[in-house]
């Protein structure tokens, strides 16, 4: 077992589920904080930062999706949404509001742990396995993106908040610009090979990137939709 030194907030109104998740994650070396309501989770988030938040959609005093949106206003914290609804449309809604991943109840703890580990790696987790050096930062359209620190900022200006999925998609576009990338290639970058999503999540993520990076409305010109093929970044 590797001590990960990562803090995780788990939000669910069912004590049994909290016990199971906390027990498994603690065994793996994570520090776990619990909350059983929207209000309690909001207070915990105000008290300290967390590396990852695992939250149920159905909370007694509010929607977990509303909490995702609240977190995303100020933070790039990794977010895994838990829900009893497993339709692709429901998963896409989770991504639309800013979640990094989505898992359906009932789930196996090993599946949840795998998703936590994958998200931690995308957020810059350090493991015992030597990592191949990533390329240096690149500039495009007035921005600088750095794959090592996983940051995006205006050149000589402030940093922009991106979810881990948004970052993976943007870096893939930047790294391959001006090549046209298929939706499948972008999906593989954001979710990994063997993902269970269709093409719509890519459209959602591209739309969010256009809004965040180009609030003047020029996003469709900068990140072009190439009909029948995919997307292209014109840097």
């Amino acid at each position: 077992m590797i001590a990960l030194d990562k803090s995780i907030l788990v939000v669910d109104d069912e004590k049994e589920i909290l016990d199971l998740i906390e027990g498994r994650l603690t065994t793996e070396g994570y520090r776990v904080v619990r909350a059983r309501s929207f209000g309690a989770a909001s207070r915990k988030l105000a008290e300290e930062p967390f590396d990852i938040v695992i939250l149920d959609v159905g909370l007694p005093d509010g929607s977990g999706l509303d909490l995702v949106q609240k977190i995303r206003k100020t933070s790039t914290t990794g977010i895994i949404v838990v829900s009893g609804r497993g339709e692709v449309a429901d998963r896409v809604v989770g991504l639309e509001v800013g979640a990094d991943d989505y898992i359906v109840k009932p789930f196996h703890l090993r599946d949840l742990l795998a998703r936590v580990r994958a998200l931690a790696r995308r957020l810059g987790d350090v493991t015992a396995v030597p990592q191949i050096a990533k390329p240096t930062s690149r500039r495009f359209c007035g921005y600088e993106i750095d794959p090592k620190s996983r940051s995006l900022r205006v050149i000589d200006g402030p940093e922009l908040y991106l979810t881990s999925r948004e970052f993976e998609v943007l870096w893939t576009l930047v790294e391959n610009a001006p090549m046209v990338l298929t939706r499948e290639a972008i999906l593989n970058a954001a979710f990994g090979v063997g993902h269970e999503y269709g093409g719509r999540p890519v459209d959602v993520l591209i739309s969010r990137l256009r809004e965040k990076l180009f609030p003047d409305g020029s996003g469709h010109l900068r990140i072009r939709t190439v009909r029948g093929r995919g997307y292209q970044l014109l840097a």
Side-chain angles (χ1 to χ4, degrees):
M1 182 184 71
I2 300 173
L4 301 176
D5 192 29
K6 295 289 184 184
S7 60
I8 300 179
L9 175 64
V10 183
V11 188
D12 199 299
D13 63 335
E14 298 184 47
K15 180 179 182 299
E16 295 78 6
I17 291 179
L18 287 174
D19 290 341
L20 289 170
I21 294 176
E22 180 179 20
R24 184 57 185 270
L25 293 180
T26 300
T27 299
E28 294 295 323
Y30 295 96
R31 185 178 73 86
V32 177
V33 176
R34 303 159 55 133
R36 297 185 63 181
S37 68
F38 186 107
S42 296
R43 290 191 292 274
K44 296 291 185 183
L45 288 163
E47 292 171 1
E48 63 175 299
F50 292 91
D51 297 292
I52 295 174
V53 177
I54 301 171
L55 62 91
D56 189 14
V57 170
L59 299 174
D61 56 344
S63 168
L65 297 180
D66 290 338
L67 184 56
V68 173
Q69 291 182 304
K70 181 177 180 179
I71 295 171
R72 277 290 169 259
K73 289 180 179 179
T74 58
S75 173
T76 57
T77 294
I79 302 175
I80 299 175
V81 167
V82 179
S83 174
R85 303 178 63 178
E87 298 298 323
V88 172
D90 296 314
R91 300 182 186 211
V92 170
V93 170
L95 296 174
E96 285 178 335
V97 297
D100 294 286
D101 210 340
Y102 189 108
I103 189 169
V104 180
K105 288 183 176 181
F107 55 82
H108 292 289
L109 286 174
R110 64 176 178 271
D111 186 13
L112 177 63
L113 179 59
R115 292 168 187 260
V116 168
R117 286 172 171 167
L119 181 54
R121 284 194 296 271
R122 292 200 300 273
L123 295 171
D125 184 28
V126 178
T127 69
V129 180
Q131 300 295 310
I132 298 174
K134 292 184 178 180
T136 56
S137 62
R138 296 189 182 183
R139 293 188 172 190
F140 71 100
C141 304
Y143 292 98
E144 182 173 19
I145 185 170
D146 188 337
K148 293 182 179 179
S149 62
R150 297 184 64 83
S151 63
L152 173 72
R153 66 176 63 253
V154 176
I155 295 176
D156 298 325
E159 184 173 347
L160 273 71
Y161 288 111
L162 292 181
T163 69
S164 65
R165 303 292 194 193
E166 291 168 349
F167 187 91
E168 294 294 351
V169 169
L170 181 59
W171 174 250
T172 300
L173 289 170
V174 171
E175 190 176 29
N176 293 281
M179 184 186 303
V180 177
L181 299 180
T182 65
R183 283 179 171 80
E184 187 64 23
I186 298 173
L187 276 171
N188 288 341
F191 297 93
V193 178
H195 59 81
E196 54 190 10
Y197 293 91
R200 189 183 169 197
V202 170
D203 300 330
V204 170
L205 291 167
I206 292 292
S207 177
R208 283 184 6 209
L209 286 172
R210 285 169 171 164
E211 291 177 2
K212 287 186 176 182
L213 273 64
F214 309 108
D216 62 355
S218 65
H220 286 80
L221 301 177
R222 297 292 194 172
I223 305 178
R224 292 182 59 240
T225 300
V226 182
R227 188 179 298 276
R229 296 179 62 191
Y231 292 98
Q232 174 190 38
L233 175 66
L234 298 178

